[in-house]
């Protein structure tokens, strides 16, 4: 509204002056209520604002600091009110309102979280690709409408074929193409208001004044109710049904609630009898199944979901996730867990984006995309994805082994090959423990203390307060003195020797596994297994395996929570670790060495050399070759990225020593191929570039001579741009033009290949060298020779 219109309506040309005049402010609010169909203010705000409140708003609009009274040169301007601001304010209100009512935080219970525009753009950029603008869009959990507003903008621009949208096109999309459902009436009102604002913003000339008036959206295209049963309400039947069938929509988007609503909520969901597998905790996948009810053969899906059911190990989680994937075609999943610190900071769990129906329709495999944390991404709220972060996984492989799902996101091809090898060769630890008469269990839960626990009184206590170096000697531990516990467990659970594993990992990526040689009570901060029927040798052998880099790597690749920016181990993940036949190794050289080194864990902190010795002993026990050891040791490094300090180091510029490690790993694979004829070898050239250079280059050249491959460190002879130009001249590839952003390149000539990647350490681990060498071999086999093409 311009100054002239404001003066005509309220008698003042300045909004701050209007708010300081009670009569003028009343006329303004009446006009807003009429123009926006009462959706600008929810019913809870119907009471007239006090003069004091209006005065504060007026002072703010004049650029005054309300605490100090200082004036600003740059008062707030209302040229544009971003919809994400409206949504963020809505989230603040619903969370603070729930907290002040004393009735519990219903917003958190219902999973009400503002969806950042970054995540909305990620979804809509994909599912709107190639659309005409005539499509219908549905959000079954629309909240304050951020998805719908952005969908409206895109539909209007598509209708205009790149030109300026007409008012008719904008209103057509607003009234007939954008639909939303939410259980909260205030949320629906804000969604309507946000859509009105977006329509005004899109309008090339919102004049005359009657152009500011809108038809009501609530009850027409925006519905209040439960998405599961909305078509059974009068409004729902009128809007969402077409005769006796549900209406089909072209695009279905949203960010459904994630939060676990307790046993009562789960029981209610099961009683509803949807006919599809339900995830055991949370409800986000329920809405994916519900969305399919409103889909047709060509519907596109774009939803932000909790990542936990996809990475879970329980049969119910896996069944629900698979049903969601198999129920829709051409699925792409984008793992957003690395961005949990800023993307959904209040949610307390990682996110995943499900996209479907927008690509070539294949039902036999899914595309997996991994996002990475970076300082620049966190500061700018940008989601960084490079071509190397995209992989595919056959659904049949996922069905064969659920552990492959997470590994396909986080790992490289050498990780997957080693996992397959270990799973084929060894039984899970759970089976090996059963063979020894031992079983892992969660410790005592104090809880409501209703059950008798007096039979445990006086025993040493190991709880979550125990600090390193974790002495498990009875004389150094407090005594259990409680008469009762919610789950005291049986007395046999606490028989020594015990192998205890801490549930939460603090301070580092290795599981904390310790042996207690006398009976102790351990709480649910620990998992424990009694080796009373086997002895201390078996206990120390298992503790050594669980404290090794191998266990850390396996938990990172396959664990249902650790590795998703959650530093927690779950019992099912621990006992899923492949383990050799333990009884056969009590007296083996490798087994005795592992047990001997594990026994040193309780005597004091170990240095890096001690841990390396333990890892080597475990590698010997598992008979891992040199390349497998590179994979596992680098897995320990990658597991460390779950902590802030190590995560920041992962994006620090790589050094020459680390590049040498990368090159040696690359050559270890290539040597295997050249050793067949023993006529040629490969030389690696590492170029020393300025530390601030955004990329690093390693060149591998085939030499017509036998012998071991060599690594040389060379001066770059100029800036990065000059080096890229020289590579381009040799290979006839426009390297600088192809190298955009986070792109990774393999540039081939007949007898050489140059690897060009961003300078961050995470691109240059040894496991990356193995994967890159494997890719070069496959490239060469596919082409028959190095022909200068860039991949």
């Amino acid at each position: 509204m311009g100054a002239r219109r404001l003066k005509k309506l309220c008698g003042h040309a300045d909004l701050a002056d209007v708010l300081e005049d009670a009569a003028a402010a009343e006329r303004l609010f009446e006009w807003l209520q009429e123009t926006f169909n009462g959706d600008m203010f929810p019913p809870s705000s119907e009471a007239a604002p006090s003069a004091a409140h209006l005065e504060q708003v007026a002072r703010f609009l004049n650029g005054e600091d309300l605490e100090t009274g200082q004036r600003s040169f740059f008062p707030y301007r209302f040229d544009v009110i971003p919809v994400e601001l409206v949504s963020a304010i809505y989230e603040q209100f619903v969370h603070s309102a729930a907290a002040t009512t004393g009735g519990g935080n219903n917003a958190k219970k219902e999973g009400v979280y503002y969806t950042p525009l970054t995540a909305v753009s990620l979804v809509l950029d994909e599912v709107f690709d190639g659309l005409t603008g005539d499509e219908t869009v549905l959000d079954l959990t629309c909240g304050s409408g951020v998805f719908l507003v952005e969908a409206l903008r895109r539909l209007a621009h598509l209708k205009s074929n790149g030109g300026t949208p007409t008012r008719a096109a904008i209103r057509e999309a607003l009234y007939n193409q954008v639909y939303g459902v939410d259980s909260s009436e205030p949320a629906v009102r804000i969604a309507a208001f946000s859509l009105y604002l977006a329509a005004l913003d899109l309008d090339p000339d919102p004049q005359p004044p009657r152009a500011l008036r809108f038809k009501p959206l609530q009850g027409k295209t925006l519905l209040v109710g439960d998405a599961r049963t909305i078509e059974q309400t009068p409004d729902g039947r009128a809007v969402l049904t077409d005769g006796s069938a549900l209406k089909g929509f072209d695009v279905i988007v949203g960010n459904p609630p994630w939060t676990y609503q307790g046993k009562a909520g789960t029981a209610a969901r099961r009683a509803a009898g949807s006919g599809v597998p339900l995830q055991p905790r949370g409800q986000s996948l329920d809405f994916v199944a519900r969305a399919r009810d409103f889909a047709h053969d060509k519907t596109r899906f774009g939803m932000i979901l909790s990542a936990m059911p996809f990475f879970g190990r329980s049969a119910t989680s896996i069944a629900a996730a698979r049903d969601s994937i198999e129920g829709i075609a051409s699925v792409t999943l984008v793992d957003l867990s690395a961005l949990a610190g800023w993307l959904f900071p209040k949610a307390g769990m990682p996110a995943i984006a499900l996209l479907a129906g927008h690509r070539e329709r294949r039902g036999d495999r899914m595309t997996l995309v991994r996002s990475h944390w970076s300082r620049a991404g966190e500061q700018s709220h940008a989601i960084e994805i490079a071509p190397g972060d995209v992989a595919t996984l056959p659904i049949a492989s996922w069905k064969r082994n659920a552990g492959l799902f997470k590994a396909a996101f986080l790992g490289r091809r050498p990780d997957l090959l080693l996992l397959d090898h270990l799973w084929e060769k060894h039984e899970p630890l759970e089976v090996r423990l059963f063979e020894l008469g031992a079983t892992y269990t969660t410790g005592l839960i104090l809880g409501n203390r209703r059950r008798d626990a007096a039979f445990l009184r006086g025993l040493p206590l190991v709880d979550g307060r125990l600090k390193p170096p974790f002495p498990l000697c009875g004389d150094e531990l407090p005594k259990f003195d409680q008469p009762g516990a919610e789950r005291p467990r049986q007395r046999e659970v606490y028989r020594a020797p015990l192998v205890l594993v801490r549930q939460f990992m603090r301070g580092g990526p290795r599981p904390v596994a310790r042996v207690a040689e006398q009976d102790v009570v351990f709480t649910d901060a620990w998992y424990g297994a009694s080796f009373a029927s086997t002895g201390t040798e078996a206990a120390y052998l298992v503790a050594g395996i669980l404290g090794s880099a191998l266990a850390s790597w396996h938990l990172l690749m396959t664990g249902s929570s650790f590795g998703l920016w959650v530093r927690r181990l779950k019992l099912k993940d621990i006992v899923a670790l492949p383990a050799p036949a333990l009884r056969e190794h009590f007296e083996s050289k490798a087994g005795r060495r592992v047990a001997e080194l594990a026994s040193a864990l309780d005597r004091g902190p170990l240095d890096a050399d001690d841990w390396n010795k333990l890892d080597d002993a475990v590698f010997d026990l598992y008979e891992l070759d040199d390349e497998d050891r590179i994979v596992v040791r680098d897995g320990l490094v990658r597991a460390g990225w779950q902590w802030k300090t190590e995560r920041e180091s992962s994006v620090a510029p790589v050094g020459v020593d680390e590049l040498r490690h990368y090159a040696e790993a690359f050559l270890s694979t290539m040597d295997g191929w050249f050793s067949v004829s023993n006529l040629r070898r490969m030389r690696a050239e590492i170029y020393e570039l300025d530390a601030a250079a955004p990329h690093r280059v390693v060149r591998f050249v085939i030499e017509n001579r036998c012998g071991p491959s060599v690594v040389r460190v060379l001066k770059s002879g100029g800036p990065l741009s000059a080096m890229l130009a020289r590579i381009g001249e040799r290979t006839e590839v426009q390297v600088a033009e192809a190298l955009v952003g986070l792109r990774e390149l393999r540039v081939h000539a007949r007898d050489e290949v140059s690897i060009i990647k961003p300078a961050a350490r995470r691109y240059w681990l040894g496991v990356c060298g193995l994967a890159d060498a494997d890719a070069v071999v496959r490239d060469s086999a596919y082409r028959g020779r190095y022909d200068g093409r860039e991949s």
Side-chain angles (χ1 to χ4, degrees), residues 427-441 499 528-531 533-534 538-539 542 546 571 574-575 579-580 582-583:
E427 295 289 341
L429 179 61
E430 185 175 28
V431 173
R432 298 307 191 193
L433 292 177
F434 180 79
E435 293 171 352
L436 300 178
T439 303
Y440 257 107
T441 186
V499 179
S530 171
F531 286 76
S533 61
T534 309
V542 171
L546 291 176
L571 187 54
I574 294 171
V575 298
L582 299 174
R583 192 179 297 278

Side-chain angles (χ1 to χ4, degrees), residues 35-36 152 156 159 165-178 195-196 198-215 217 221:
T35 300
F36 296 110
L152 173 66
K159 284 175 173 290
T166 65
R167 181 178 300 165
I170 296 167
R171 297 298 171 100
E172 170 65 21
L174 176 65
Y175 296 140
N176 300 309
Q177 293 178 247
V178 178
L195 286 166
Y196 297 147
L200 287 175
D201 184 47
L202 290 166
D203 198 317
D205 183 24
Q207 298 292 335
R210 64 176 178 272
L212 301 179
R213 302 278 177 93
F214 292 95
K215 298 177 183 178
L217 298 181
T221 55

Side-chain angles (χ1 to χ4, degrees), residues 456-775:
L456 299 174
R457 297 179 75 171
L459 287 175
L461 175 65
V462 178
D463 59 17
R465 296 171 294 179
L466 192 63
K467 290 182 170 53
F470 302 103
L472 297 186
C473 301
D475 295 340
E476 301 180 39
L477 295 172
K479 299 296 188 290
F480 181 75
D481 60 359
Q482 299 295 322
E486 183 174 337
R487 295 186 181 179
R489 313 298 182 193
Q490 296 180 350
R491 178 64 179 82
E492 289 71 21
V493 167
Y494 307 106
R495 300 288 183 195
L498 290 158
V499 179
L500 305 182
V501 181
R502 192 162 195 165
Q503 181 178 160
F504 287 93
M505 302 173 72
R506 297 172 181 171
R510 292 180 185 269
V512 176
R514 296 294 184 268
V515 175
E517 295 192 13
Q518 58 184 314
D519 294 5
V520 297
V521 175
F522 58 95
T523 68
D524 57 342
W526 297 79
Y527 306 116
S530 171
F531 286 76
S533 61
T534 309
T536 56
E537 294 84 359
Y540 280 114
L541 176 59
V542 171
I545 293 172
L546 291 176
S548 71
L550 181 73
S552 180
W553 164 78
H554 192 268
L555 288 164
L556 175 72
M557 289 294 125
T558 68
S560 55
S561 57
F562 180 65
L564 302 173
W565 201 240
V566 179
R567 297 186 287 273
R568 178 187 180 188
L569 304 181
K570 293 189 176 180
L571 187 54
K572 286 188 176 182
D573 302 330
I574 294 171
V575 298
L577 175 69
L582 299 174
R583 192 179 297 278
E584 297 176 10
H585 287 283
F586 291 167
E587 298 301 325
S588 72
K589 180 179 179 181
R592 289 199 305 271
R593 180 62 173 157
V594 172
E596 174 189 344
L597 292 167
S599 67
L601 294 176
D602 296 324
R603 296 197 292 268
L606 304 187
D607 59 24
D609 186 57
D610 294 325
W611 285 116
N612 285 333
K613 289 177 181 177
L614 175 63
D615 291 337
D616 284 334
V618 172
F619 297 161
D620 291 341
L621 183 70
Y622 279 79
E623 300 178 331
L624 300 186
D625 62 24
D626 290 341
E627 292 187 0
D628 291 339
R629 296 179 187 221
I630 291 173
V631 172
V632 174
R633 288 194 188 280
D634 282 350
L636 182 67
V637 173
R638 288 174 284 171
W641 297 347
Q642 299 301 300
W643 282 261
K644 184 177 180 180
T645 301
E646 291 303 313
R647 180 188 66 179
E648 291 182 348
S649 74
S650 73
V651 297
V654 66
V656 170
D657 289 342
E658 292 159 311
L659 289 173
R660 183 185 296 276
H661 174 59
Y662 165 88
E664 290 172 347
F666 184 101
L667 293 174
S668 69
T669 295
M670 302 306 296
D671 284 347
W673 290 89
F674 290 121
S675 65
V676 175
S677 63
N678 199 30
L679 296 176
R680 297 194 295 175
R681 72 176 188 179
M682 191 167 253
R683 179 181 78 249
E685 296 177 348
I686 298 171
Y687 294 96
E688 287 190 293
L689 292 163
D690 185 271
H695 292 81
R696 295 291 185 269
V697 179
V698 180
R699 179 175 176 237
F700 297 94
V701 183
I702 297 176
E703 297 181 321
N704 291 316
R705 57 190 297 185
C706 62
S709 297
V710 295
V711 179
R712 296 176 182 173
V713 180
L714 306 175
K715 298 295 182 181
S716 62
L720 174 64
S721 58
M723 175 175 291
L724 297 179
R726 292 196 297 271
I727 294 173
E729 290 173 2
R730 288 197 307 270
T731 60
E732 299 182 357
V733 174
Q734 299 298 318
V735 176
E737 295 179 7
L739 194 65
V740 179
L742 299 176
R743 186 80 184 268
E744 303 177 43
L745 297 181
R746 297 189 303 275
V747 187
H748 297 263
R750 182 166 186 82
D751 292 319
E752 69 175 70
V753 60
S754 293
I755 308 294
I756 309 169
K757 297 197 283 188
R761 288 178 60 226
R762 66 181 176 86
Y763 291 98
W764 297 99
L765 296 174
V767 68
C768 300
L770 297 175
D772 289 342
D774 183 68

Side-chain angles (χ1 to χ4, degrees), residues 169-323:
I170 296 167
R171 297 298 171 100
E172 170 65 21
L174 176 65
Y175 296 140
N176 300 309
Q177 293 178 247
V178 178
Y179 295 76
V181 178
D182 201 274
S183 59
S184 167
E185 184 175 0
V188 170
R189 287 179 177 273
I190 293 174
F193 174 57
S194 298
L195 286 166
Y196 297 147
L197 288 180
L200 287 175
D201 184 47
L202 290 166
D203 198 317
D205 183 24
Q207 298 292 335
R210 64 176 178 272
L212 301 179
R213 302 278 177 93
F214 292 95
K215 298 177 183 178
L217 298 181
Q218 187 170 332
K220 306 296 183 182
T221 55
L222 299 181
L223 307 175
V224 178
D226 187 338
R228 301 177 183 88
T229 57
I230 187 63
E231 77 279 9
Q232 299 172 19
T233 65
D235 287 347
R237 285 194 295 272
V239 174
L240 298 177
T241 59
D242 186 3
S244 59
L246 293 177
K247 187 179 294 184
F249 289 83
D250 302 310
V251 179
I252 302 178
V253 296
N255 179 11
W258 305 355
T259 312
Y260 176 52
Q261 295 184 305
K263 294 181 179 179
T266 300
R269 290 165 55 221
R270 289 173 178 167
S274 63
V276 299
L278 299 179
Q279 65 186 93
R281 301 175 67 88
Q283 52 182 329
S284 61
L285 292 184
D286 296 5
F287 292 93
V288 177
R290 182 57 170 150
R292 283 152 44 188
D293 295 339
F294 293 95
H296 53 69
D297 290 343
K298 295 183 179 180
T299 296
R300 300 183 177 197
F301 298 83
M303 307 178 81
I304 305 292
L305 309 168
S306 167
M308 301 312 290
F310 289 94
F311 296 111
R313 278 195 172 271
S314 72
T316 48
S317 283
I318 294 171
R322 286 178 179 166
D323 179 75

